[in-house]
Amino acid sequence: MPAPVIGRHAAPESPVDVLTDLLAVQRRRLAALDPRLPEAAAPPPGDIVVVGKPPHRVAGVVTHHTWPAGSGPLLWSATQVSELHPVIGAAGHAPLHALVEAWRGRMLPVVLAEPDSAATITWPSRDVVATRVFLDHGLVPLAVLAVRPPGPYPVPPPDPDLVVRRAGPDDLEGCVRLALEELAYSSQVGGSLLRPDAEALKRATIRDRLGRGEPTWVAERGGRLVGMVECGQAESAPGSWLASLVPPGGWGYVNCASVTSAERGSGVGQRLVAAALPELEAGFRGRQDLAVRGTYLYYNPPNPLSSVFWPRAGYAPLWTLWEVRPARALR
Ligand SMILES: CC(C)(COP(=O)(O)OP(=O)(O)OC[C@H]1O[C@@H](n2cnc3c(N)ncnc32)[C@H](O)[C@@H]1OP(=O)(O)O)[C@@H](O)C(=O)NCCC(=O)NCCS
């Protein structure tokens, strides 16, 4: 006969205790599901929601964010964002349904009233139990964070008329044109938004990036830029935002890839990636201690070009960004 449970379970558990217990189980669930994931991070501070009773009890943290007018993230995000951070242990469909329903009840009136709003969840792509639940509540898999381990990329046959090179400050206008072309395309197939200040925002960001020497490659034909891939390197350091998404270490990332419409499908994108990857994977300048774990990027599953192009280049979904706009459309 099992010994009676005494001690800390004799007193009622606080919501923080519930989160802590469920997080330990969730860590095991996600580690078993996908070894490419980092250890599941604790949710950020916010409104703790606990639903149900053991053994079907689940929890989550609801956060709210308002992006200020004129800020860069408004080119891919709604202004008012309610985010659910599920902490569900090993739970299946029914408890997760209950948690999503409870989330709707906790959304701030300002979010529910705002047309430029979104309800979002970022969750491991391979957790298909959650996929079923999110789809049933009207959430859409608008983007994925996809990763690629370091490794050779097939170099396409040479194109004698195409010059692929690192971009410099003089390439600003060509890069802005290509970035706006990408934004216009992506706004039809994902969460990007062609807001009135898009050109000014892109110009300021790209001027800054090129000025700092951030790795950007361009493809030039006949003196005109026809393609661009904006990249960078970042450390997934313990406690950082990136560490909640990818394992610790050095990572290369691809921020924006754009080939002008008349040149798409003819190998320009592949030549740009073939130029960028070896450098992104070679290591961090001045950081011999930091091994490069791979590269990551975001793409939109409804994008018929990038959803073919990136998986063919070796990228596989790690996290899915579920979203519904406006937030009140969550059902
Ligand atoms: C995604 C993108 C950067 C790829 O660059 P690209 O130069 O078109 O790519 P490539 O020609 O090197 O490879 C394209 C692949 O897509 C497919 N493709 C076929 N027809 C295509 C077309 N009309 N346009 C684009 N891709 C086509 C092919 O499968 C091709 O692979 P294959 O050569 O093995 O057949 C480019 O299409 C683009 O800018 N798209 C619009 C903006 C965008 O989606 N950006 C990415 C955001 S993450």
Side-chain angles (χ1 to χ4, degrees), residues 137-170:
H137 285 276
L139 289 149
V140 175
L142 256 197
V144 294
L145 185 158
V147 291
R148 178 188 193 274
Y153 179 83
V155 179
D159 177 343
D161 300 328
L162 193 76
V163 177
V164 174
R165 58 172 175 80
R166 277 287 285 259
D170 291 347

Side-chain angles (χ1 to χ4, degrees), residues 181-182 185-186 257-260 263-271 297-300 303 305-306 308-310 312:
E181 210 177 321
E182 187 274 334
Y185 189 89
S186 292
S258 178
V259 171
T260 195
E263 294 265 355
R264 288 176 197 155
S266 61
V268 174
Q270 289 169 47
R271 289 182 178 88
L297 50 80
Y298 291 90
Y299 72 81
N300 301 125
N303 181 332
L305 303 181
S306 62
V308 177
F309 183 78
W310 293 120
R312 202 172 263 181

Side-chain angles (χ1 to χ4, degrees), residues 28-318:
R28 293 197 288 277
R29 171 199 188 119
L30 299 185
L33 205 60
D34 191 342
R36 303 167 309 154
L37 289 165
E39 181 175 78
D47 183 13
I48 301 178
V49 185
V50 177
V51 180
K53 296 205 167 1
H56 302 297
R57 185 167 59 184
V58 292
V61 172
V62 177
T63 57
H64 171 243
H65 192 81
T66 307
W67 292 108
S71 60
L74 285 175
L75 295 184
W76 66 83
S77 170
T79 299
Q80 299 274 357
V81 182
S82 176
E83 184 165 2
L84 176 67
H85 306 265
V87 185
I88 56 172
H93 294 112
L96 186 50
H97 269 299
L99 179 66
V100 176
E101 269 156 28
W103 172 30
R104 202 181 189 292
R106 297 291 187 101
M107 265 181 215
L108 299 178
V110 67
V111 179
L112 291 171
E114 173 59 61
D116 186 3
S117 64
T120 69
I121 302 177
T122 299
W123 197 248
S125 305
R126 290 186 183 168
D127 195 353
V128 298
V129 169
T131 298
R132 179 70 268 154
V133 175
F134 299 157
L135 287 171
D136 288 348
H137 285 276
L139 289 149
V140 175
L142 256 197
V144 294
L145 185 158
V147 291
R148 178 188 193 274
Y153 179 83
V155 179
D159 177 343
D161 300 328
L162 193 76
V163 177
V164 174
R165 58 172 175 80
R166 277 287 285 259
D170 291 347
D171 295 309
L172 177 65
E173 288 311 313
C175 288
V176 171
R177 175 174 47 78
L178 288 163
L180 289 172
E181 210 177 321
E182 187 274 334
L183 184 66
Y185 189 89
S186 292
S187 69
Q188 299 181 81
V189 293
S192 297
L193 293 146
L194 203 49
R195 297 193 190 262
D197 56 355
E199 183 168 348
L201 274 171
K202 284 285 185 192
R203 182 168 286 106
T205 314
I206 295 172
R207 182 184 287 120
D208 192 40
R209 283 180 51 84
L210 295 177
R212 279 187 281 122
E214 290 281 318
T216 300
W217 284 263
V218 286
E220 196 174 18
R221 195 186 295 284
R224 180 177 162 82
L225 297 194
V226 296
M228 165 184 78
V229 62
E230 265 184 1
C231 305
Q233 288 182 311
E235 181 181 358
S236 170
S240 65
W241 160 81
L242 190 55
S244 65
L245 296 171
V246 293
W251 288 84
Y253 64 88
V254 180
N255 190 42
C256 171
S258 178
V259 171
T260 195
S261 60
E263 294 265 355
R264 288 176 197 155
S266 61
V268 174
Q270 289 169 47
R271 289 182 178 88
L272 283 164
V273 174
L277 279 184
E279 198 167 317
L280 295 177
E281 292 172 356
F284 280 44
R285 220 174 288 154
R287 288 289 310 270
Q288 280 77 10
D289 60 311
L290 200 59
V292 175
R293 304 288 299 257
T295 51
Y296 71 89
L297 50 80
Y298 291 90
Y299 72 81
N300 301 125
N303 181 332
L305 303 181
S306 62
S307 64
V308 177
F309 183 78
W310 293 120
R312 202 172 263 181
Y315 288 88
L318 185 63

